[in-house]
């Protein structure tokens, strides 16, 4: 940056020192595209930092990056995106691909997956584009900063004679008290006036510089800083941390890894029956946050049977102490604690099952979530199920099935019936340890009579979406600052007028600024000046016209 500033200063000095001449310079030889590319590469090899700085500060670079981001976003709209809850779980992600992407894209699915088309908004190239765009904005701001600050703190008061002749917006007038009256007129319109005097051709010339809302030009720094912060917040929102098997965890320093883990977000679904608990972070970690469902209710439309409201009574604990509680957790009313948000997502069927042996020893006692479903072969119903549930101390697994009509939920049935099957994995049904149809409160025996299986309860369980997004708390404040800085730019545009005063003659000139019409001020000041001069002249003539005629004759 220092090299570029020095070059620009040397160029400006040479232009000021160069005498004006009307001779035409010989046209530079036209280079072919290959020669231009070779010239740029040669310059980049000799001055890599200057070349990189120039590339980042180019408007073409910003347009190119924005177009690339738009293309990536269009791809993200076209291809289905994997939900956040499967991104950190390779098994769940592969299952999602098999269920959602493979039927639609077939053999191209592995290629699209390798290109991150199903996780495009958290892909490395999308993050890279956002990062380079943010860096480009920073470089452009630094490039413009000296000129903006110079205009704000040390503006140019005296302009050349040619400026007053060729300015697109200019006006002139005369006034007996040109300097004093013009300065007062500008201040009445809210301008700040600075002056400078000089002697030209033995005649005193006063230069005035009037500016209004120049402070608003500093809002460009606020706008660019907000834009960069917004891009960084978006990157943080999509950051899920380095995978456990990532080489980055072995290469990067420990403080960087700790910072990345602190900024990493997550999103997962957690189904919980009433009275059950789950953890956000593994037990033993410094966070050690858990949550418990105290009660869950769902209301259904009596006409259609569709759920119309889910309400969860949720408690959040940290190190065993209650730190947050909500007795009305709904879809649009989440609970947030320490950057973690608990959303009401949906509901799912669940069952509490107890298995004891002949001696009364409990082999299994837990809630089973029926989180899978499929349509019956006959097409006349749906089955919710859970399979492969291991029974501790044995080589048996359990499956629980709930058959119901499509759109029907467990809570809507007065006396639901569940099918419980226990057997050895890989064997046929006739070798099952147990195959029972039970309602809540009922129990049954295994085939050999050694086990007792009891269905303690069957009800709908809440499904909570647990998320952490380190970037989301920053988005709204940054967006507000961004909009305010834009409003300052649009509603308080900079106005600048340069004036040259010789005797009673005043020449005004101005640049056409963005979002403003400076011509109205120029014409308004000129009209006021002519009116003021006319009133002054009238006042000076009034005493002579009012003087009596005998006084004139006596003088004669």
């Amino acid at each position: 940056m220092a090299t570029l500033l020095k070059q620009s200063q040397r160029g400006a000095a040479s232009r000021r020192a160069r005498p004006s001449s009307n001779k035409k310079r010989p046209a530079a030889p036209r280079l072919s595209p290959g020669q231009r590319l070779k010239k740029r590469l040669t310059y980049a090899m000799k001055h890599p930092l200057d070349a990189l700085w120039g590339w980042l500060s180019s408007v073409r670079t910003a347009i190119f990056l924005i177009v690339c981001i738009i293309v990536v976003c269009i791809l993200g709209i076209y291809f289905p995106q994997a939900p956040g809850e499967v991104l950190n779980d390779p098994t769940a992600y592969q299952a999602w691909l098999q269920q959602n992407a493979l039927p639609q894209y077939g053999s191209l699915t592995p290629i699209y997956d390798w290109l991150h088309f199903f996780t495009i908004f958290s892909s490395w190239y999308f993050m890279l584009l956002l990062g380079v765009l943010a860096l480009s904005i920073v470089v452009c701001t630094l490039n413009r900063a000296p000129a903006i600050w110079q205009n704000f703190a040390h503006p140019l008061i005296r302009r050349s004679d040619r400026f007053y002749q060729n300015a697109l917006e200019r006006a002139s007038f005369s006034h007996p008290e040109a300097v004093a009256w013009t300065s007062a007129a500008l201040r009445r319109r809210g301008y700040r006036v600075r002056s400078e005097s000089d002697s030209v051709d033995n005649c005193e010339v006063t230069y005035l510089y009037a500016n209004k809302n120049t402070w608003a030009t500093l809002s460009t720094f606020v706008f660019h800083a907000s834009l960069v912060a917004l891009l960084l917040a978006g990157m943080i929102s999509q950051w899920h941390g380095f995978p456990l098997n990532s080489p980055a965890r072995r290469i990067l320093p420990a403080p960087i890894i700790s910072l990345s883990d602190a900024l990493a977000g997550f999103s997962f679904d957690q189904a919980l029956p009433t009275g059950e608990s789950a953890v956000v972070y593994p037990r033993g970690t410094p966070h050690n946050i858990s949550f418990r469902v105290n009660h869950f209710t769902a209301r259904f439309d009596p006409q259609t049977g569709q759920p119309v409201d889910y309400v969860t009574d949720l408690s959040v604990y940290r190190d065993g102490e209650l730190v947050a509680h909500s007795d009305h957790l709904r879809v649009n009313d989440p609970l947030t604690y320490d950057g973690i948000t608990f959303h009401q997502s949906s509901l799912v069927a669940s069952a509490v099952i107890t298995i004891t042996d002949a001696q009364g020893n409990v082999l299994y006692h837990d809630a089973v979530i029926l989180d899978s479903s499929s349509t019956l072969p006959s097409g006349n119903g749906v089955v919710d199920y859970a399979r492969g549930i291991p029974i501790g101390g044995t080589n048996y697994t359990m499956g629980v099935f709930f058959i119901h009509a499509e759109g029907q939920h467990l809570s809507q049935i007065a006396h639901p019936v569940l099918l419980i099957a226990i057997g050895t994995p890989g064997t046929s049904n006739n070798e099952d340890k147990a195959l029972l149809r039970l309602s809540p409160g009922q129990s049954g025996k295994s085939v050999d009579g050694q086990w007792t299986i009891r269905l303690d309860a069957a009800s709908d369980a809440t499904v909570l979406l647990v998320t952490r997004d380190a970037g989301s708390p920053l988005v709204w404040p940054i967006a507000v600052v961004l909009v305010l800085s834009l409003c300052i730019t649009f509603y308080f545009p900079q106005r600048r007028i340069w004036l040259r005063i010789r005797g009673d003659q005043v020449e005004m000139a101005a640049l056409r600024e963005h979002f403003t019409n400076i011509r109205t001020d120029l014409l308004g000041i000129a009209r006021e000046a002519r009116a003021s001069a006319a009133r002054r002249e009238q006042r000076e003539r009034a005493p002579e016209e009012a003087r009596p005629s005998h006084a004139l004759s006596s003088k004669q």
Side-chain angles (χ1 to χ4, degrees):
M1 178 182 178
T3 305
L4 290 174
L5 291 176
K6 289 179 181 177
Q7 291 175 353
S8 62
Q9 292 171 357
R10 287 198 298 268
S14 63
R15 286 193 295 272
R16 288 193 297 267
R18 190 181 299 129
S20 60
S21 175
N22 295 328
K23 294 181 179 180
K24 293 185 177 180
R25 297 181 181 178
R30 190 177 183 84
L31 301 178
S32 64
Q35 290 174 328
R36 288 198 298 269
L37 179 61
K38 182 179 179 181
K39 185 177 180 180
R40 292 175 182 174
L41 291 176
T42 303
Y43 178 80
M45 293 291 292
K46 291 182 178 180
H47 309 282
L49 293 180
D50 290 348
L52 178 61
W53 188 275
W55 183 79
L56 288 172
S57 61
S58 172
V59 177
R60 293 181 180 180
T61 300
I63 295 175
F64 170 75
L65 292 172
I66 292 172
V67 170
C68 290
I69 291 174
I70 291 174
V71 171
V72 172
C73 290
I74 292 174
L75 290 174
I77 294 172
Y78 177 77
F79 288 93
Q81 298 298 298
E85 57 266 22
V86 305
L87 295 181
N88 293 330
D89 188 345
T91 303
Y93 177 70
Q94 290 300 323
W96 182 89
L97 285 179
Q98 294 290 330
Q99 185 176 359
N100 296 274
L102 190 62
Q104 186 173 358
Y105 302 105
S107 59
L108 294 176
T109 301
I111 299 176
Y112 292 158
D113 181 34
W114 182 76
L115 294 172
H116 299 279
F117 282 177
F118 306 116
T119 56
I120 203 164
F121 296 112
S122 58
S123 62
W124 64 268
Y125 51 84
F126 185 70
M127 296 292 184
L128 180 63
L129 287 173
L130 293 181
V132 175
L133 180 60
L135 184 61
S136 176
I137 295 172
V138 171
V139 171
C140 289
T141 305
L142 293 177
N143 258 4
R144 295 178 58 189
I148 294 174
W149 181 254
Q150 179 71 19
N151 172 56
F152 175 75
H154 308 288
L156 181 63
I157 298 177
R158 179 174 177 175
R159 305 298 295 257
S160 65
D161 295 343
R162 184 174 296 179
F163 175 76
Y164 294 97
Q165 299 170 4
N166 301 330
L168 294 177
E169 302 292 348
R170 60 185 185 272
S172 61
F173 61 89
S174 61
H175 195 279
E177 299 177 353
V179 176
W181 183 91
T182 305
S183 299
L186 289 168
R187 290 191 178 97
R188 283 196 301 270
R189 290 177 173 265
Y191 283 89
R192 179 187 179 189
V193 181
R194 306 182 192 185
S195 64
E196 185 178 293
S197 299
D198 195 7
S199 179
V200 179
D201 297 333
N202 297 325
C203 179
E204 184 177 359
V205 180
T206 301
Y207 296 92
L208 299 182
Y209 170 72
N211 64 295
K212 184 179 181 180
N213 297 335
T214 304
W215 59 270
T217 58
L218 301 180
S219 66
T220 185
F221 299 122
V222 179
F223 174 78
H224 288 169
S226 302
L227 191 57
V228 170
L230 199 61
L231 291 173
L232 294 179
M235 295 173 62
I236 293 174
S237 295
Q238 297 297 328
W239 176 247
H240 297 284
F242 294 110
L244 296 178
N245 56 353
S246 173
R249 291 189 172 273
R250 299 189 299 270
I251 298 173
L252 296 177
I256 296 180
I257 296 298
S258 300
L259 177 62
S260 71
D261 291 341
L263 295 176
F266 54 79
S267 176
F268 63 90
D269 281 327
Q270 181 66 59
L272 280 180
T274 297
E276 295 293 324
S277 301
V279 296
V280 176
Y281 301 104
R283 296 192 185 278
T285 63
H287 307 286
N288 196 20
I289 296 177
S290 61
F291 54 101
R292 182 180 188 274
V293 174
N294 304 313
H295 187 65
F296 172 70
T297 57
R299 292 192 299 106
F300 303 89
D301 189 327
Q303 302 296 329
T304 63
Q306 296 298 318
V308 295
D309 190 21
Y310 314 133
V311 183
T312 300
D313 186 332
L314 184 71
S315 297
V316 180
Y317 299 87
R318 185 165 198 163
D319 298 328
E321 296 183 3
L322 179 66
V323 291
H325 174 258
S326 174
D327 58 359
H328 54 273
L329 188 71
R330 285 184 167 88
V331 174
N332 295 321
D333 190 10
L335 173 64
T336 301
Y337 169 74
D338 195 28
I340 302 167
T341 304
F342 301 88
H343 302 268
Q344 180 66 65
S345 178
S346 60
L347 73 166
V348 68
S350 69
V352 180
I353 299 174
T354 302
I355 302 176
T356 56
D357 60 13
Q359 289 75 33
N361 299 317
V362 177
L363 303 178
Y364 182 91
H365 177 72
D366 204 353
V368 178
I369 301 297
L370 311 184
D371 54 359
S372 300
S373 64
S374 63
T375 304
L376 293 175
S378 62
N380 295 326
V382 178
V383 56
D384 297 337
Y385 62 90
R387 289 177 175 172
I389 304 168
I391 300 175
T394 71
N395 60 347
Y396 293 105
T397 60
M398 177 174 58
V400 182
F401 306 85
F402 168 54
I403 302 173
H404 58 91
E406 188 172 358
Q408 192 178 41
H409 295 273
L410 189 59
S411 300
Q412 297 175 275
I413 303 175
H415 302 286
V417 177
L418 275 66
L419 178 64
I420 301 174
I422 301 176
T424 305
T427 60
S428 59
N429 289 338
N430 57 4
E431 299 180 12
D432 284 343
K433 177 79 172 178
L435 185 62
L436 303 172
R437 296 172 62 88
L438 301 175
S439 294
Q442 293 182 344
S443 60
K445 294 288 187 178
S446 61
V447 175
D448 56 10
Q450 297 180 356
W451 287 4
T452 300
I453 300 98
R454 178 179 176 82
L455 179 60
D456 297 314
S459 63
D460 286 322
T462 183
V463 179
L464 301 176
L465 177 62
V466 185
T467 62
R468 182 181 185 274
D469 185 355
S472 61
L474 305 175
V475 171
W476 283 110
I478 294 173
V480 170
V481 174
L482 187 74
V483 172
L484 288 178
S485 63
L486 280 178
C487 291
I488 290 174
T489 302
F490 290 145
Y491 292 104
F492 300 94
Q494 177 183 224
R495 293 172 179 262
R496 295 180 292 174
I497 303 175
W498 287 268
L499 301 97
R500 183 175 61 180
I501 304 175
R502 293 182 178 179
D504 60 354
Q505 295 296 319
V506 180
E507 295 176 275
M508 297 186 296
L511 300 174
R512 286 183 178 175
E513 309 278 3
H514 293 294
F515 317 117
T516 185
N517 183 11
I518 195 69
R519 187 170 183 80
T520 57
D521 283 352
L522 298 182
L523 297 179
I525 293 173
R527 284 195 302 268
E528 290 178 11
R530 286 191 287 269
S532 175
R535 289 193 300 269
R536 180 185 177 90
E537 184 178 355
Q538 185 177 3
R539 285 195 303 269
E540 290 177 351
R541 283 188 306 201
E544 295 185 2
E545 295 174 353
R547 193 175 300 169
S549 57
H550 63 83
L552 294 176
S553 59
S554 63
K555 273 187 177 182
Q556 294 174 355

